[in-house]
Amino acid sequence: MVDQGHDQTTDGSPGESIDFIREKVVADNAAGRFGGRVVTRFPPEPNGYLHIGHAKSICLNFGIANDFDGSCNLRFDDTNPETEDHEYIEAIIDDLAWLGFTPAGEPKYASDYFEQLYTWAESLIERGLAYVDDQDAETISAQRGGFGQPGVESPHRDRQPEENLGLFRQMRDGAFADGEKVLRAKIDMQAENMQLRDPVLYRIRRVPHVRTGDDWIIYPTYDWAHGQSDAIEGITHSICTLEFADHRPLYDWCLAQLDLPSDKPEQTEFARLNLTHTVTSKRKLKELVDTGSVDGWDDPRMPTIRGMRRRGYPPAAIRAFMDQIGVAKTNSTVDVELLESFIRTELNDTAPRRMGVVKPLKVIIDNWPEGQVVMVEAPNHQANPEAGTRQVPFSGELWIEEDDFKLEPPPKYYRLSPGQEVRLRAAFFITATHVDTDADGNVVAVHCNYDPESEGGQAPDGRKVKATMHWVSAPHAVDATVHLYDRLFIDDPEGTEGSETDPAQVLNTGARETTAAKLEPALADCQPGDVVQFERLGYFAADLDDSTVFHRTVGLRDEWANLQKRRDNTQGSGKQKGSGQNKNKKNQQKQKNAKSQ
RNA sequence: UCCCGGGUAGUUCAACUGGUAGAACACUGGACUUUGAAUCCAGCCGUUGCAGGUUCGAAUCCUGCCCCGGGAGCCA
């Protein structure tokens, strides 16, 4: 298994802190359960693209397999032909590989087991443990009862095995219309756990299946397929999210009815990942795509694997993040800032440094010899001399960042302003003298003088400047389109989960700002997907299709921006940070409770 | 209303299963700096949901309560 970045091995030695699932595995191994084998699986339904939430499950399942010298399968849970598609299968295989994980053997499919599942269903019927019900979905649902309310047994519940077997075979052979009959497990209509009130095992659906085409018109439900698929593949630890906890008794019941060659797999649930400012609901993400709120599943603003890939997130950083947040049963919301901090940490080590001006302002050096161009040598990575240097052209006409000049500098501003001397990175000291303005009084160019003695960025007299700024020589600049991103969602969008709030309402329509940037010539050599640091601005990824387009992966930490934000906050509205949100959440919950009672 | 799960710094997780509640991120300050970055040091943050009980000693065990999440698809 390919597995960069996971050097952690777990032997359960005391002092080492491991999550509750790994603890369980350690205990199982110590007890000799499963003969010491550890086999997990990642079981997506191929009905959408993978997102950051799936990445947690992937890292968990593959991580455990790796830690315990086991293996992890990729299995498509393709039991519902209505929503599934090849497009998704291929994308999932691709995304998984990109994340850095290699499944054991070929991808598996629940549909590979349809025949076996069918045979097992017949054996259930023969033993009087399942029956064919003629009632429609609405009736079955009503009879199921409610929380604390008794269930009502179907009039067909006591059909004899021979009759059930005949009907079930007719179901498979097409004698009935879609929805006319179902196969149900005969468990307990009074069970406190709703999942046990005679759950549906098979339904009739005349929809071509991605893989089996028209071979079948009856399809097993999740509950009848999942545990058995695990068992067939010899899965030992079946790890899923919390909402399946109520299904566990059913998972166990199904397996208990069957004669299995090996130990029964064990289901364990963990809390799914919630991120602030992020939606991780397939339905809502699809809505964003369908309504054109984003460019597609791979829009760099999307929390999909493909979105993050286009955005320039390194897979190693995503893995490290998942290791850090750990695994628990507590419902929790992780701050996206933590993810971003891992992205920065990784990119800080790996991304070559370059200069790019994202919002250009013209600088004219009045005392620069007309037409002269010199090459200056700039390091590719300050902290890593092995990364080498590059030659960057310098001339009398430059682009600098709009934010780096102020006609009237605020306190503690030590970038360029009239009379202020600054260093241009790896080049010269310059001092602003005067500006050109347009008819509206906007600054269109800053005139400066340079110090010829300061070549390379150091004055012979040893005088210091407070600011070092990036720049690009105007005649040599490479034009590029740069996308700057903000959070896709203004507020915590998962707070609206359960209500019918349109994700579009919390959508930050200003999440993408596009600028015409001026880049140093070396940036023309970027290959699609390359991620570099534009010094002082952040990390930028060359687009996968067009490497003259750059996406800002993540900005650098910016203390100057923080300082200004704080200044604004203390001056203006004294808005509290967390309390408002919490209150909203509580109110929503109250409303929700009121509704359901 | 019934069942299941959960509640520990701002956030995510720890706490060798009864022995001084720690780490990361965030935040604050300092050092260094040709990125207001990175790096390095230091600091701040806790009535462990609440109230009782057992104990020399409780985040941990017991009782009651509160709050949050999930569950009544022929979705997964």
Side-chain angles (χ1 to χ4, degrees), chain A residues 20 71 200 310:
Chain A
F20 77 101
S71 60
V200 169
R310 189 175 284 267

Side-chain angles (χ1 to χ4, degrees), chain A residues 30 35 40 57 150 171 175 306 416 497 545-546 553 575 586:
Chain A
T40 57
S57 173
M171 276 171 67
R306 292 169 112 67
L416 198 62
E497 188 80 59
D545 301 317
D546 178 355
T553 308
K575 215 171 132 192
K586 266 179 194 154

Side-chain angles (χ1 to χ4, degrees), chain A residues 288-289 292-302 483 485 512:
Chain A
L288 294 175
V289 174
S293 303
V294 294
D295 291 345
W297 289 99
D298 61 350
D299 188 299
R301 290 167 291 183
M302 290 283 273
H483 298 294
Y485 298 106
R512 178 170 66 189

Side-chain angles (χ1 to χ4, degrees), chain A residues 378-450:
Chain A
N380 290 327
H381 193 130
Q382 196 83 313
N384 177 17
E386 281 175 29
T389 61
R390 67 190 187 285
Q391 301 293 315
V392 188
F394 185 94
S395 70
E397 207 172 304
L398 310 167
W399 296 109
I400 63 161
E401 211 63 53
E402 203 178 82
D403 282 351
D404 284 343
F405 175 78
K406 286 272 188 298
L407 207 46
E408 289 162 25
K412 290 206 169 158
Y413 184 87
Y414 38 83
R415 278 112 97 145
L416 198 62
S417 58
Q420 179 76 249
E421 184 172 53
V422 302
R423 169 168 39 233
L424 294 177
R425 173 108 235 238
F428 296 93
F429 284 10
I430 59 171
T431 308
T433 55
H434 61 286
V435 299
D436 295 338
T437 52
D438 64 12
D440 300 324
N442 299 312
V443 175
V444 293
V446 181
H447 289 265
C448 297
N449 285 324
Y450 86 110

Side-chain angles (χ1 to χ4, degrees), chain A residues 426-561:
Chain A
F428 296 93
F429 284 10
I430 59 171
T431 308
T433 55
H434 61 286
V435 299
D436 295 338
T437 52
D438 64 12
D440 300 324
N442 299 312
V443 175
V444 293
V446 181
H447 289 265
C448 297
N449 285 324
Y450 86 110
D451 175 1
E453 302 293 303
S454 64
E455 175 150 20
Q458 217 140 16
D461 63 4
R463 73 179 188 280
K464 303 265 189 248
V465 290
K466 285 211 109 173
T468 300
M469 297 174 7
H470 61 280
W471 51 273
V472 170
S473 169
H476 305 91
V478 174
D479 287 303
T481 300
V482 163
H483 298 294
L484 304 172
Y485 298 106
D486 195 355
R487 305 271 140 80
L488 223 206
F489 298 95
I490 294 161
D491 217 305
D492 185 348
E494 301 294 354
T496 62
E497 188 80 59
S499 70
E500 283 314 298
T501 308
D502 187 348
Q505 282 182 13
V506 288
L507 192 73
N508 178 10
T509 48
R512 178 170 66 189
E513 184 186 358
T514 301
T515 75
K518 303 288 185 183
L519 310 181
E520 68 164 277
L523 254 3
D525 300 332
C526 275
Q527 298 303 304
D530 281 356
V531 184
V532 297
Q533 186 193 87
F534 290 3
E535 290 201 32
R536 304 206 304 136
L537 296 179
Y539 300 95
F540 290 75
D543 188 71
L544 265 14
D545 301 317
D546 178 355
S547 52
T548 68
V549 172
F550 286 83
H551 307 281
R552 177 149 75 179
T553 308
V554 63
L556 261 23
R557 271 188 62 215
D558 189 345
E559 283 201 0
W560 171 243

